[in-house]
Amino acid sequence: MGLRVDQATATGKFSLDGEVHDVENNIWVVGDDQRCVVIDAPHDVEAVRELVAGREVLAVLATHAHDDHIRVAPDLAEAVGAGVYLHPDDLPLWELTHPARKPHKLLADRQVFRIGRAGLKVLHTPGHSPGSVCFYCPDLGTVFTGDTLFAGGPGATGRSFSDFGTILTSIRDRLLPLPGRTKVRPGHGPGTTIGEVVPQFDDWVARGY
């Protein structure tokens, strides 16, 4: 079987700035029958291992370092024998959750992860956090946006380490130029497409949050 996307969800807590919220996170696995990468490791190692289903895990990729996206990343990496990859600008956030455990590798903008003949391209999209990234797979017509872009708007920017103007710039310059049919697979909730997002963008700018 060729390259595919598998999805599961996991529930848990998100905490920052003294607030704690119940959340449900999407878990994405991209690969074929032999190898895959995991995008985000939120709350439950076993939920991710079931989705991996015995395949070789090439990497655990973090879209950003809020605790609900990386809480079990080090334990998952140990369980599946893969490294955790994070953009360096999110290291201060990572250390809030894992002060004694570092990510194994640092992500770079435009870096490409190969899965067979396909690739996942890193797009640095700061705003929700300084080191937020999206992973674009042209072969699947898909971009995994973490908490940068959702169906209905940009990710939240009302907390520490975030900025509304910056996230709008990231969406405008890095995501909206992708083909309109590109599927948006976010860190929470349902997906959308770039084509559906484009006509909404000016409304988000006017809204101001």
Side-chain angles (χ1 to χ4, degrees):
M1 184 180 293
L3 196 68
R4 69 182 189 271
V5 178
D6 295 303
Q7 178 191 8
T9 59
T11 57
K13 303 290 185 181
F14 163 65
S15 58
L16 188 65
D17 295 337
E19 299 180 1
V20 180
H21 302 276
D22 294 320
V23 290
E24 181 177 78
N25 290 65
N26 293 325
I27 304 163
W28 303 105
V29 172
V30 185
D32 54 26
D33 286 344
Q34 285 76 44
R35 300 174 184 84
C36 64
V37 298
V38 175
I39 299 175
D40 288 342
H43 311 291
D44 185 346
V45 170
E46 289 309 311
V48 184
R49 293 186 70 179
E50 288 178 13
L51 201 59
V52 166
R55 290 175 282 176
E56 177 187 1
V57 178
L58 303 176
V60 178
L61 306 176
T63 60
H64 63 293
H66 284 153
D67 60 357
D68 60 317
H69 290 256
I70 60 156
R71 188 177 307 281
V72 301
D75 292 337
L76 175 66
E78 184 176 333
V80 300
V84 178
Y85 290 70
L86 177 76
H87 192 279
D89 290 354
D90 259 19
L91 284 172
L93 272 170
W94 170 278
E95 290 167 359
L96 295 178
T97 305
H98 300 297
R101 305 174 77 176
K102 303 295 184 184
H104 301 86
K105 302 283 186 178
L106 298 179
L107 294 169
D109 187 39
R110 302 185 186 277
Q111 178 179 355
V112 176
F113 286 86
R114 306 305 306 184
I115 311 170
R117 296 181 180 179
L120 277 175
K121 185 176 183 179
V122 178
L123 304 176
H124 183 209
T125 53
H128 182 68
S129 70
S132 285
V133 300
C134 299
F135 298 100
Y136 175 48
C137 184
D139 299 87
L140 290 172
T142 292
V143 60
F144 301 90
T145 57
D147 287 4
T148 294
L149 178 62
F150 298 101
T157 54
R159 301 183 177 95
S160 298
F161 302 97
S162 66
D163 182 78
F164 182 67
T166 301
I167 201 171
L168 288 181
T169 298
S170 292
I171 292 169
R172 182 194 66 206
D173 294 350
R174 306 308 304 274
L175 299 180
L176 297 193
L178 299 176
R181 65 181 180 278
T182 303
K183 296 176 182 178
V184 174
R185 301 182 191 263
H188 308 270
T192 183
T193 67
I194 294 297
E196 291 171 339
V197 165
V198 169
Q200 303 173 36
F201 184 77
D202 288 344
D203 290 338
W204 304 343
V205 175
R207 188 175 69 190
Y209 63 90

